[in-house]
Amino acid sequence: RLTIRNMHRREGKRKKPKSRLRQAIEQHRRDAAAGSNLSNITAMLANFEMRIEALRTQIRIDDREIGELEKQLIPLRKKRDEMLEETKDLKEFVRHFDKNIGPFNDSYDNLQKGLKDRYEVAKGKHAAGIQLLVDVYDYHPAFKRWDDSFTATPFKPQ
């Protein structure tokens, strides 16, 4: 607590002049602290230099590996270019296929439809022929009788 009495006491306590020995000791302590700071800074610099050298070594290794990867990429890039060219050619073929082959495909579909219609007519005539055999020759398609004069294998088109 600061009072007037205390203020007088404080004023009465003046610093004594330091002796030369005490000054030398304090200077030595300051120098030692500064030296300690300098040695810390020196150690940090040495540490940074080691890190920088390690990074340079790693960069050299990475550069060498990049060169090796580039060598491996050359055939892959050629293959990619060939595949792109092939894709382009195939797309062109498909485009021309629809234009040039499309009419033939349509005519094939028409031909198939015509064949189906003719086959239906043939099935009808076949059934009429079998019925004629049944009526005229007493033919039974499911089984052959021992006294049949007509021999044939039963067949029904699908």
Side-chain angles (χ1 to χ4, degrees):
R1 186 169 167 191
L2 189 60
T3 62
I4 295 178
R5 184 186 285 176
N6 289 341
M7 287 175 70
H8 290 297
R9 283 185 196 166
R10 280 193 176 180
E11 289 178 6
K13 290 186 179 179
R14 294 193 178 234
K15 291 185 179 178
K16 295 181 186 175
K18 295 182 183 176
S19 68
R20 287 186 138 191
L21 180 61
R22 187 169 258 342
Q23 288 175 352
I25 291 171
E26 287 179 5
Q27 184 64 37
H28 181 67
R29 283 183 187 158
R30 284 193 300 270
D31 291 346
S36 174
N37 287 341
L38 285 176
S39 72
N40 286 341
I41 291 171
T42 305
M44 287 174 53
L45 286 175
N47 189 14
F48 287 145
E49 286 175 359
M50 288 180 2
R51 285 184 183 178
I52 288 171
E53 188 56 37
L55 289 173
R56 284 184 181 146
T57 303
Q58 188 62 42
I59 288 170
R60 283 193 296 274
I61 291 170
D62 289 347
D63 286 343
R64 196 174 324 127
E65 289 174 353
I66 286 172
E68 291 174 10
L69 289 174
E70 286 293 331
K71 288 177 186 176
Q72 292 176 4
L73 278 175
I74 291 171
L76 293 174
R77 286 181 179 144
K78 285 182 182 177
K79 181 75 173 173
R80 180 196 62 196
D81 292 342
E82 290 171 1
M83 291 173 81
L84 288 173
E85 187 66 29
E86 184 180 358
T87 302
K88 179 182 159 192
D89 292 343
L90 289 173
K91 284 181 181 178
E92 187 70 21
F93 173 77
V94 167
R95 201 176 91 232
H96 285 297
F97 180 84
D98 286 342
K99 185 174 22 168
N100 297 332
I101 306 298
F104 291 112
N105 198 20
D106 292 340
S107 66
Y108 176 76
D109 290 342
N110 291 336
L111 176 67
Q112 218 175 10
K113 184 178 181 276
L115 286 174
K116 186 176 180 184
D117 292 343
R118 288 187 190 121
Y119 186 69
E120 291 298 323
V121 169
K123 281 189 347 185
K125 289 189 178 191
H126 180 270
I130 294 292
Q131 188 60 43
L132 178 70
L133 289 173
V134 169
D135 294 342
V136 174
Y137 294 103
D138 198 27
Y139 171 71
H140 195 286
F143 60 91
K144 181 179 175 185
R145 292 176 295 230
W146 66 271
D147 64 340
D148 278 343
S149 60
F150 184 79
T151 59
T153 304
F155 172 76
K156 180 168 175 132
Q158 297 298 325

